[in-house]
């Protein structure tokens, strides 16, 4: 701390735009004065084995009251071979008492120097959480990340797709890596949100002081058809029970099932629906 300046140097973690842009560890610096922050992050070193690195620079400012907060972000990503990307993002959170609403709006531009391809992509996301009673809450979210409608032209319209090392947004348990962060279903973008439209509705019931039960329903499809002309990823049901065994130790038991669409396949014809079951102590 140097007067009004706070400087955090070294290996650390940061989240930009809820993870749609970045959520990972890096070596670098975060400088902040009040509600304004600047981030320098080295996310890859010698990424092409020829001495070129990947790094980004972010400037953000938060305007906040008791009822809402708005954070515009500008991020410039410097990649190998003189390629670059930039993100213009606006993140907002609104507190309505028993309800809270959030949204993220992101535009991505840039250029890949080696192939002289221009980047123009976007993402729109919105979510809400409503406390129906002291024990019951309802939540939901939806997001759309643009895809590339023609892989053979000189434009890249697929949001994020490999442009930003470290992007990570967890959503459905099977299609979006969820809690276990293990293995995503074929065709789904996992936690690197790109070329997808998804909608979610769920509820959490606090059965007791130590036990909570959560049920989520997800539907997802590709923003642009895959190579087989398919776009439906499917409908997923996620169930979770969380129990506090002792102070500081929680058991999560999770079951998930995906009613797979035709885009959940490597060859355009899925034969089985993916499912997952597991437990976690944390």
């Amino acid at each position: 701390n140097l007067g009004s300046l706070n400087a955090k140097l070294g290996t650390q973690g940061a989240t930009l735009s809820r993870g749609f842009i970045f959520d990972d560890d890096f070596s670098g610096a975060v400088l902040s004065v009040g509600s304004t922050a600047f981030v320098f992050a080295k996310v890859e070193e010698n990424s092409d084995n020829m001495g070129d690195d990947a790094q980004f620079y972010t400037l953000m400012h938060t305007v906040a009251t008791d009822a809402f907060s708005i954070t515009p972000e500008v991020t410039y990503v410097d990649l190998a071979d003189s390629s670059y990307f930039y993100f213009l993002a606006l993140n907002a959170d609104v507190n309505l008492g028993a309800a809270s609403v959030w949204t993220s709006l992101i535009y991505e531009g840039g250029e890949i120097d080696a192939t002289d391809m221009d980047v123009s992509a976007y993402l729109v996301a919105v979510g809400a959480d409503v406390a129906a009673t002291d024990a019951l809450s309802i939540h939901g979210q939806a997001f759309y990340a643009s895809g590339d409608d023609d892989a053979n032209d000189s434009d890249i319209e697929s949001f994020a797709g490999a442009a930003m090392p470290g992007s990570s947004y967890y959503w459905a348990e099977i299609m979006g890596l969820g809690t276990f962060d293990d293995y995503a279903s074929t065709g789904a973008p996992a936690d690197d949100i790109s070329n997808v439209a998804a909608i979610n509705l769920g509820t959490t019931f606090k059965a007791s002081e130590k036990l909570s039960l959560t049920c989520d329903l997800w539907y997802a499809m590709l923003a642009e058809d895959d190579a087989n002309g398919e776009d439906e990823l499917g409908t997923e049901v996620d169930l979770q029970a969380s129990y506090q065994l002792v102070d500081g130790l929680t058991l999560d038991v999770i079951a998930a099932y995906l009613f797979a669409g035709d885009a959940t396949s490597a060859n355009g014809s899925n034969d089985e629906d993916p499912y997952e079951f597991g437990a976690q102590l944390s």
Side-chain angles (χ1 to χ4, degrees):
N1 290 300
L2 302 170
S4 60
L5 172 66
N6 176 267
K8 188 174 183 180
L9 311 177
T11 301
Q12 55 190 292
T15 300
L16 303 179
S17 294
R18 310 180 201 279
F20 289 119
I21 295 179
F22 186 82
D23 186 2
D24 208 341
D25 297 332
F26 64 91
S27 294
V30 176
L31 309 178
S32 58
V33 178
S35 56
T36 302
F38 172 77
V39 180
F40 165 70
K42 178 66 68 71
V43 290
E44 287 186 2
E45 191 137 26
N46 298 334
S47 56
D48 65 354
N49 299 317
M50 295 178 64
D52 288 327
D53 305 330
Q55 54 263 320
F56 70 81
Y57 311 82
T58 296
L59 182 64
M60 67 181 76
H61 177 75
T62 300
V63 177
T65 69
D66 292 339
F68 69 88
S69 69
I70 298 177
T71 304
E73 293 178 359
V74 179
T75 298
Y76 177 83
V77 187
D78 182 20
L79 296 176
D81 302 323
S82 301
S83 300
Y84 68 91
F85 302 91
Y86 62 88
F87 296 89
L88 306 177
L90 182 67
N91 302 287
D93 295 85
V94 180
N95 183 0
L96 302 173
S100 61
V101 180
W102 61 266
T103 186
S104 289
L105 310 173
I106 308 172
Y107 174 79
E108 177 187 1
E111 181 179 333
I112 298 180
D113 183 68
T115 56
D116 196 27
M117 300 180 72
D118 295 323
V119 179
S120 180
Y122 65 93
L123 177 141
V124 177
V126 62
D129 196 321
V130 179
T133 67
D134 290 342
L136 181 68
S137 65
I138 300 171
H139 56 266
Q141 62 175 295
F143 53 82
Y144 180 94
S146 62
D148 200 339
D149 60 357
D150 186 353
N152 297 316
D153 64 16
S154 60
D155 297 322
I156 296 178
E157 298 161 325
S158 184
F159 178 80
M164 186 62 177
S167 61
S168 180
Y169 183 82
Y170 295 118
W171 46 296
E173 185 62 44
I174 295 175
M175 293 185 288
L177 292 186
T179 298
F180 296 128
D181 185 14
D182 183 29
Y183 192 84
S185 52
T186 301
D191 63 331
D192 187 13
I193 306 302
S194 180
N195 187 34
V196 67
I199 188 168
N200 156 250
L201 182 63
T203 182
T204 297
F205 176 67
K206 192 170 179 59
S208 67
E209 184 179 349
K210 294 185 176 182
L211 176 64
S212 64
L213 306 172
T214 300
C215 176
D216 276 286
L217 181 66
W218 284 92
Y219 175 79
M221 61 184 295
L222 300 176
E224 301 290 344
D225 292 353
D226 63 14
N228 301 300
E230 304 292 347
D231 64 359
E232 186 181 5
L233 294 173
T235 300
E236 180 175 330
V237 180
D238 298 339
L239 304 175
Q240 177 174 343
S242 298
Y243 186 77
Q244 182 182 356
L245 298 175
V246 296
D247 286 343
L249 183 62
T250 299
L251 171 65
D252 294 312
V253 178
I254 296 172
Y257 191 95
L258 174 62
F259 297 92
D262 287 335
T264 304
S265 170
N267 57 16
S269 59
N270 56 297
D271 296 324
E272 296 184 7
D273 292 335
Y275 61 90
E276 183 176 274
F277 178 79
Q280 172 178 275
L281 287 170
S282 60

